[in-house]
Amino acid sequence: MDNKKKVNLSANFKEKIEPKSQFQKKSIPGVKKILAITSAKGGVGKSTICANLAAAAAKQGFSIGLLDADIYGPSIPDLFNISEKPTADENKIINPIIAQNIKLISMGFLIDKNSPMVWRGPMVINAIKSFINNVNWGELDCLFVDLPPGTGDAILTFAQELKVDGSIIITTPQKLSITDANRGIEMFKKTDIPVLGVIENMSFILDKNNNPSYPFGKNGAKELCKKQKIKLLDKIKIDESFNDCVEKGLVFENLSKDIKIQFETIAKEILN
Ligand code: ADP
């Protein structure tokens, strides 16, 4: 008799992420809009795009916050070149750090930069809840949330706790990234969070005669958007000016002019 059983792993996905409807989820008082920036895969430029979108929006006069929910790999402190630690008031409400007119909070402000984060899921969930509930966000037109890559605890906590108005997916055109982006879109559909669109980053590179080449493939995001019936918000080229921003710790200002205009246009579109 063959007594081998098939391995059947199931996380009962529906039960795990669908207990609350959008009506039961809470908003943050004073915050008009919450937008999640997500990538499904690491290294595609999600934090870079999130920081530049936030800065482009702040530059246009919107009051903006940025919550770095990438607990294991927070990039926001480095992107804004911040080493100071936030303070808290007598009720333990954390005052965000302000840089380039943006209110910022990140786990990177609170931990030692050189220590690895060895937190388990429940600790991550508590940190995220604290960033939602215990930060003095004040009045904001929009709170951008830089979500960690993947579909793990941090994202599910957000999806369950907070009334997120929309998500923006960042991907490269490469198949590896597109497959994961597709999975991310499916997750947002299940959690009732509208996907506002996709930004294809590292889409192409221009040579000195302005001829494009496509090191990560061509049209990956276009085909994803067609399949999912969502909008391709824009394509951002590979450009050295992103490195200038990192070197100088001043997002947006040091970008090439054409890319600045792209971020301003996307910011306007998603905030209106
Ligand atoms: P993620 O948040 O997806 O892990 P990051 O935002 O940390 O990715 O970006 C990874 C690296 O890629 C950073 O060094 C960043 O400066 C660089 N980068 C992002 N987008 C571009 C681009 N369009 N052109 C050149 N470098 C980029």
Side-chain angles (χ1 to χ4, degrees):
M1 195 178 75
D2 184 7
N3 58 1
K4 282 182 192 157
K5 285 186 182 157
K6 261 193 185 171
V7 176
N8 191 0
L9 278 181
S10 160
N12 201 349
F13 190 61
K14 264 194 147 179
E15 189 185 289
K16 202 172 165 196
I17 60 174
E18 280 190 335
K20 288 179 186 166
S21 76
Q22 281 286 73
F23 298 107
Q24 291 170 292
K25 294 178 192 175
K26 59 178 175 211
S27 324
I28 302 178
V31 177
K32 288 190 194 145
K33 200 174 229 183
I34 299 174
L35 295 180
I37 312 293
T38 176
S39 68
K41 196 151 210 84
V44 299
K46 165 190 57 75
S47 295
T48 303
I49 300 242
C50 183
N52 280 296
L53 271 181
K59 191 106 192 147
Q60 290 172 64
F62 291 104
S63 47
I64 298 296
L66 201 174
L67 191 168
D68 181 4
D70 201 338
I71 303 286
Y72 294 108
S75 304
I76 295 301
D78 280 341
L79 279 165
F80 286 88
N81 197 16
I82 291 164
S83 48
E84 71 184 281
K85 295 202 178 301
T87 55
D89 68 14
E90 63 275 15
N91 300 317
K92 296 191 178 159
I93 299 293
I94 305 166
N95 297 308
I97 301 274
I98 299 181
Q100 292 182 243
N101 262 335
I102 305 167
K103 290 180 182 164
L104 303 168
I105 199 72
S106 166
M107 187 50 79
F109 297 148
L110 306 171
I111 52 157
D112 173 13
K113 206 175 170 178
N114 300 313
S115 306
M117 285 295 289
V118 286
W119 286 14
R120 291 187 188 279
M123 294 160 87
V124 171
I125 290 169
N126 279 343
I128 299 281
K129 284 186 177 171
S130 172
F131 284 173
I132 295 171
N133 298 313
N134 301 333
V135 172
N136 184 11
W137 290 114
E139 301 283 322
L140 292 181
D141 290 313
C142 181
L143 176 65
F144 286 94
V145 181
D146 181 3
L147 284 176
T151 48
D153 286 315
I155 297 192
L156 293 178
T157 306
F158 262 97
Q160 285 186 304
E161 289 294 313
L162 210 56
K163 192 178 165 299
V164 180
D165 297 281
S167 62
I168 293 148
I169 316 277
I170 316 299
T171 182
T172 65
Q174 204 178 41
K175 196 174 162 191
L176 285 175
S177 174
I178 295 289
T179 307
D180 283 0
N182 188 56
R183 203 171 285 138
I185 293 167
E186 291 298 332
M187 185 207 64
F188 281 113
K189 277 187 186 166
K190 286 197 164 78
T191 53
D192 238 1
I193 296 173
V195 178
L196 302 184
V198 172
I199 298 176
E200 187 181 81
N201 191 28
M202 308 185 192
S203 274
F204 56 93
I205 189 160
L206 295 178
D207 67 15
K208 57 180 186 312
N209 299 319
N210 272 342
N211 295 315
S213 58
Y214 302 90
F216 296 127
K218 209 175 166 184
N219 292 331
K222 188 176 166 194
E223 279 155 23
L224 172 71
C225 289
K226 194 171 159 202
K227 176 178 158 196
Q228 287 283 359
K229 298 192 176 63
I230 53 179
K231 190 166 182 186
L232 179 56
L233 288 165
D234 214 340
K235 295 179 177 188
I236 311 280
K237 67 183 173 189
I238 297 173
D239 195 76
E240 272 180 32
S241 67
F242 281 100
N243 196 46
D244 294 343
C245 292
V246 176
E247 292 295 321
K248 291 174 186 152
L250 191 64
V251 298
F252 191 70
E253 289 307 325
N254 292 303
L255 286 179
S256 304
K257 198 173 165 207
D258 53 340
I259 300 179
K260 275 182 166 177
I261 294 170
Q262 283 184 285
F263 279 121
E264 281 168 349
T265 310
I266 304 168
K268 228 178 261 165
E269 178 169 352
I270 57 178
L271 286 183
N272 288 323

